[in-house]
Amino acid sequence: VITPTQQDDPLQALIRQMARLPGLGQRSARRIALYLLQHRTDVMQPLAAQLDMAASQIHACKSCGNLDTIDPCRICRDDKREQSVICVVASVADIWAIERTGQFRGVYHVLGGVLSALDGIGPDDLNIPGLLTRVRDQNAREVILALGATVDGQTTAHVISDQLTAKPGLKITRLAQGLPVGGELDYMDEGTIGLAFAARTSL
Amino acid sequence: VITPTQQDDPLQALIRQMARLPGLGQRSARRIALYLLQHRTDVMQPLAAQLDMAASQIHACKSCGNLDTIDPCRICRDDKREQSVICVVASVADIWAIERTGQFRGVYHVLGGVLSALDGIGPDDLNIPGLLTRVRDQNAREVILALGATVDGQTTAHVISDQLTAKPGLKITRLAQGLPVGGELDYMDEGTIGLAFAARTSL
């Protein structure tokens, strides 16, 4: 039972704020708050400082939407990367995931989501105009639509593809679909197995 | 692939710090960092301020070990609570759990853990001397050992019980063990069912 006095308590306020973060609930927020208070000077205060610093120093790149301390971001200003190959992703987390593979040497474009009737996200909520401008200005030769293999992701890919095809000589690709690495057949859904069959490659 | 420049990046530093919090890993830390940067003024900066405020204002109660802005804590100084009934818990989170039931009107004593050979936690690591002092000074009539129904929890209960029995007229109790509320028999382990049988009560 939380009395009115306790509700104004900085501890309860901290737990309430933490419980609103994605993936955390009341229980995990309480656990983290307790841990922080037990590691006040070595974890809690540095974290507060880090949050403040990140909030003031990190900004969205005006060109691609990536998060960085400089604008344009490190990827956009890297002249060893091919500015004519643009990989379209839904969110900055997808940039990080692709960068971890170390295989892509082009640039990115963050849409800020995918079209979703359920979540009320329409074409005007995504940075599609910015992509069209960049495709023209950077004289793009390939646009890779690296969107999730979901209905919403693939719908978004088709909508963008329709707007890009007007440009001659531009290659539009999307990520391959099939079995994930290490995927056992009997753990896969029928959709994935069906797709992998249809798109089978010769050995 | 993270280049040396990116490692010094406040974003990567923030993710690294967050991934060290209990219950969070790299993936959830990245997700939270991204969410925070998308909610800079309404979530991120208030959270930083809240962390700082909590770190400076919340302290452990010198009497019971509870966390509060005042010392002695609200529970210890509440004269509507029975100071002669002391509930011994492993951690502050257990106080919160018991307070949520709204059924206990005594006071608490936080040990700061339970005895654990595996984690190298011996009697000297727990606040047992403080408990013995309080039992004497507050003229305790009951000590409730509210420790987990684990081997370590019950070992700790027995060790404390042995040190307390010297005091005449002091009741030492522990929490009942049995089926949890809503517990279906076929989901319970044999240990719990066996205990519940042995400790069955007449209807």
Side-chain angles (χ1 to χ4, degrees):
Chain A
V1 176
I2 293 171
T3 64
T5 351
Q6 281 176 311
Q7 282 223 341
D8 303 320
D9 188 313
L11 179 54
Q12 296 303 327
L14 177 62
I15 293 172
R16 238 184 355 260
Q17 278 189 320
M18 301 242 283
R20 274 194 231 118
L21 300 178
L24 296 187
Q26 277 294 323
R27 205 187 143 78
S28 41
R30 279 198 295 265
R31 194 170 154 217
I32 292 175
L34 208 53
Y35 172 85
L36 288 171
L37 284 162
Q38 284 158 352
H39 299 82
R40 220 172 280 251
T41 50
D42 55 331
V43 181
M44 194 171 190
Q45 280 157 345
L47 180 61
Q50 195 64 54
L51 282 168
D52 253 337
M53 193 166 84
S56 65
Q57 295 190 356
I58 298 169
H59 302 283
C61 170
K62 282 191 194 68
S63 172
C64 76
N66 186 19
L67 290 168
D68 206 334
T69 47
I70 45 178
D71 181 16
C73 72
R74 279 184 186 77
I75 293 175
C76 282
R77 62 172 70 198
D78 184 346
D79 51 20
K80 281 190 231 81
R81 300 187 75 125
E82 287 195 66
Q83 303 288 328
S84 61
V85 179
I86 303 176
C87 177
V88 177
V89 292
S91 115
V92 174
D94 302 327
I95 296 187
W96 299 342
I98 296 169
E99 285 298 287
R100 282 196 295 278
T101 70
Q103 290 190 10
F104 178 63
R105 298 301 303 164
V107 293
Y108 294 95
H109 187 83
V110 179
L111 290 178
V114 287
L115 298 173
S116 167
L118 211 66
D119 299 334
I121 300 175
D124 296 342
D125 300 309
L126 305 180
N127 189 11
I128 299 174
L131 175 64
L132 302 179
T133 309
R134 288 182 72 197
V135 165
R136 194 188 56 224
D137 294 355
Q138 294 176 208
N139 199 20
R141 56 182 180 85
E142 181 173 357
V143 170
I144 305 168
L145 298 164
L147 302 169
T150 59
V151 173
D152 286 345
Q154 296 306 305
T155 306
T156 310
H158 281 292
V159 167
I160 293 175
S161 171
D162 286 347
Q163 301 195 35
L164 286 171
T165 40
K167 199 175 176 305
L170 174 67
K171 210 163 108 189
I172 303 171
T173 57
R174 65 167 180 180
L175 298 189
Q177 293 185 19
L179 301 181
V181 173
E184 304 260 28
L185 246 78
D186 56 348
Y187 283 92
M188 290 294 134
D189 62 295
E190 297 83 349
T192 301
I193 296 177
L195 247 164
F197 253 96
R200 65 190 178 280
T201 56
S202 53
L203 244 163
Chain B
V1 179
I2 293 172
T3 65
T5 351
Q6 280 177 311
Q7 283 224 339
D8 302 320
D9 188 312
L11 180 54
Q12 297 303 327
L14 177 62
I15 293 172
R16 240 188 350 265
Q17 278 190 321
M18 301 242 282
R20 274 196 231 117
L21 299 179
L24 296 187
Q26 277 296 323
R27 205 188 142 79
S28 41
R30 280 198 295 266
R31 194 169 154 218
I32 291 176
L34 209 53
Y35 172 85
L36 287 171
L37 285 162
Q38 284 158 352
H39 299 82
R40 221 171 280 254
T41 50
D42 54 331
V43 180
M44 193 171 190
Q45 280 157 344
L47 179 62
Q50 194 65 54
L51 282 168
D52 253 337
M53 191 164 86
S56 65
Q57 293 189 356
I58 298 170
H59 303 284
C61 171
K62 282 191 195 70
S63 171
C64 77
N66 186 20
L67 291 168
D68 206 334
T69 47
I70 46 177
D71 182 14
C73 72
R74 279 185 186 78
I75 292 175
C76 282
R77 63 171 70 198
D78 184 346
D79 52 18
K80 281 191 229 82
R81 300 187 76 125
E82 287 194 66
Q83 302 289 330
S84 61
V85 179
I86 302 176
C87 177
V88 177
V89 292
S91 116
V92 174
D94 302 327
I95 296 187
W96 300 342
I98 296 170
E99 285 297 287
R100 283 196 295 277
T101 69
Q103 289 190 12
F104 179 61
R105 298 303 301 165
V107 293
Y108 294 95
H109 188 83
V110 179
L111 290 178
V114 287
L115 298 174
S116 167
L118 211 66
D119 299 334
I121 300 175
D124 295 342
D125 300 309
L126 305 180
N127 188 11
I128 298 174
L131 175 64
L132 301 180
T133 310
R134 287 181 72 196
V135 165
R136 193 187 58 222
D137 293 355
Q138 293 174 210
N139 198 20
R141 58 182 179 85
E142 182 173 356
V143 170
I144 304 168
L145 298 164
L147 302 169
T150 60
V151 172
D152 285 346
Q154 295 306 305
T155 305
T156 311
H158 280 291
V159 167
I160 294 176
S161 171
D162 285 347
Q163 301 195 35
L164 286 171
T165 38
K167 200 177 176 303
L170 174 68
K171 211 161 110 189
I172 303 171
T173 58
R174 66 167 180 179
L175 299 189
Q177 294 186 17
L179 301 181
V181 174
E184 304 260 29
L185 246 76
D186 57 348
Y187 284 92
M188 289 297 134
D189 62 295
E190 296 82 351
T192 300
I193 296 178
L195 248 164
F197 253 95
R200 66 192 179 278
T201 54
S202 53
L203 244 164

